[in-house]
Amino acid sequence: MTQQTCGFVAIVGRPNVGKSTLMNRILGQKISITSRRPQTTRHQIVGIKTEGEAQFIYVDTPGIHIIDKDRNRAINRFMNQAAGQALRDVDCVVFIIDRTRWTQEDQVVLDKLATVKAPVVLAVNKIDWLEDKRTLLPWLESLKEKRDFAAILPVSAKHGTQVAELEAEVAKHLPESMHYYPDDQVTNRSQRFLAAELVREKVMRQLGDELPYQMTVEIEEFREQERSRGGPVLHISALMLVERPGQKKILIGEQGERIKKIGREARLEMERAFGAKVMLNLWVKVKRGWSDDERALKSLGYDLD
């Protein structure tokens, strides 16, 4: 009988290098939201993949970033802490960088990994965007000097290039263990949490350049109603919190067109994700200073526990 293996794999990197895209690609479905804006991911998101006797428990993390005068709010500190916490007691780390760029924030991530005993696999992402492919090989060679990585792999999370090879490398580091989750479970997050994230994704994709990061989503109602025909209906009410009246005006848009578009796109994505008809209601409320108030953050679900 083949021995079961199971282990935790932290996916880390600076903001916007493709951590969530990679996890979604590995799982074959969307668990983590994505956008072109940095710091889209704010929580640890667990994605579970079971293949035969092997169970991979991936932990997608917020981008580790430098706390400076422009990013020195409680929410920034929370995101860095959440990413750092994910490195405790993991069996393997996937460290993602963006092509042939090495920034100060990449170095911050590398420095954090100095005390991590687990093997670190370096994934050089977005290779499909490289204009001159000849620069890749010497760059990969130079990366060997930065740390004794378990492996260095060029990948494209978006297109799936070499992702199977990355998974095979991670599999080498899973310890013998019984599986922690049922074989058909793909995340430890609730549908309520995913609904909030999907609304936030649509806001960030549409208003990333106009609306600062002081926006979050709270689900006030998540109720399933059985129907005699056509399956159940999910009634979801989501409250979008911003910090200033001007932000509320941007979010609602001219004659409410912006919030209608956000609601329509979020509802369609929820119906695909949950396999049910969704009735979605959105509201916007001003809650001054929530992103720099640790108490408010905890009440809104930003909790390391």
Side-chain angles (χ1 to χ4, degrees):
M1 182 178 174
T2 308
Q3 178 67 42
Q4 285 191 335
T5 60
C6 181
F8 287 86
V9 184
I11 303 175
V12 300
R14 65 175 169 84
N16 219 26
V17 291
K19 297 180 295 298
S20 298
T21 301
L22 177 65
M23 190 168 84
N24 291 340
R25 167 66 64 176
I26 288 170
L27 298 178
Q29 60 182 285
K30 180 188 268 189
I31 297 298
S32 286
I33 64 170
T34 61
S35 82
R36 292 184 178 181
R37 297 292 291 174
Q39 299 170 344
T40 300
T41 300
R42 291 179 177 173
H43 302 265
Q44 291 180 16
I45 313 286
V46 169
I48 304 147
K49 182 172 184 177
T50 305
E51 283 194 325
E53 300 303 310
Q55 185 171 85
F56 305 77
I57 305 169
Y58 290 97
V59 186
D60 184 18
T61 62
I64 295 171
H65 55 286
I66 296 168
I67 304 292
D68 54 25
K69 62 181 178 63
D70 296 320
R71 295 182 296 185
N72 189 21
R73 299 188 302 277
I75 192 167
N76 296 101
R77 296 190 290 275
F78 167 84
M79 287 189 286
N80 271 359
Q81 288 166 8
Q85 186 190 61
L87 292 170
R88 298 179 193 167
D89 303 320
V90 292
D91 301 292
C92 183
V93 176
V94 176
F95 172 22
I96 305 184
I97 63 172
D98 183 345
R99 289 166 283 175
T100 54
R101 300 173 183 170
W102 187 269
T103 69
Q104 191 179 354
E105 286 185 326
D106 290 314
Q107 188 60 46
V108 168
V109 180
L110 185 66
D111 293 343
K112 274 188 177 292
L113 294 174
T115 58
V116 174
K117 295 178 181 177
V120 178
V121 177
L122 182 64
V124 182
N125 193 25
K126 305 183 186 179
I127 56 168
D128 50 306
W129 289 11
L130 275 177
E131 293 180 8
D132 185 356
K133 297 289 194 290
R134 293 172 299 179
T135 61
L136 184 59
L137 195 57
W139 173 241
L140 296 178
E141 283 297 315
S142 71
L143 288 169
K144 293 178 181 178
E145 300 173 8
K146 294 188 180 294
R147 180 191 167 108
D148 183 18
F149 293 106
I152 300 175
L153 290 168
V155 303
S156 170
K158 183 177 181 181
H159 298 291
T161 307
Q162 292 230 122
V163 171
E165 287 81 354
L166 176 63
E167 291 183 80
E169 183 59 41
V170 170
K172 296 176 186 177
H173 307 292
L174 297 185
E176 290 188 359
S177 168
M178 63 182 291
H179 293 175
Y180 297 152
Y181 293 95
D183 288 358
D184 59 351
Q185 188 169 343
V186 292
T187 185
N188 68 340
R189 291 292 189 173
S190 66
Q191 288 186 330
R192 192 183 189 100
F193 173 86
L194 293 174
E197 289 287 274
L198 287 172
V199 173
R200 194 165 62 80
E201 178 188 66
K202 302 313 171 194
V203 174
M204 293 197 74
R205 287 191 174 188
Q206 287 195 39
L207 294 167
D209 295 325
E210 297 176 65
L211 195 68
Y213 295 113
Q214 293 98 316
M215 189 282 301
T216 194
V217 178
E218 185 176 21
I219 300 297
E220 295 197 313
E221 179 190 37
F222 193 105
R223 176 172 55 86
E224 184 174 316
Q225 179 186 15
E226 292 294 338
R227 294 187 298 176
S228 56
R229 292 182 183 179
V233 178
L234 293 175
H235 293 267
I236 302 172
S237 298
L239 178 64
M240 296 181 286
L241 292 172
V242 294
E243 297 202 329
R244 296 195 297 273
Q247 294 168 352
K248 179 177 179 179
K249 188 176 179 182
I250 291 171
L251 199 46
I252 292 172
E254 196 73 35
Q255 295 183 329
E257 284 305 311
R258 180 72 71 184
I259 196 170
K260 286 178 189 173
K261 187 177 180 184
I262 290 166
R264 184 165 59 249
E265 291 184 1
R267 177 180 57 78
L268 290 172
E269 186 110 27
M270 287 177 196
E271 289 181 342
R272 285 193 291 270
F274 303 148
K277 184 173 176 58
V278 171
M279 303 292 287
L280 176 64
N281 291 308
L282 299 179
W283 286 274
V284 187
K285 180 181 176 182
V286 177
K287 186 178 176 71
R288 294 184 184 276
W290 71 264
S291 68
D292 201 21
D293 183 335
E294 291 184 4
R295 243 173 154 179
L297 284 172
K298 200 163 186 177
S299 72
L300 291 167
Y302 293 88
D303 191 341
L304 290 172
D305 293 338

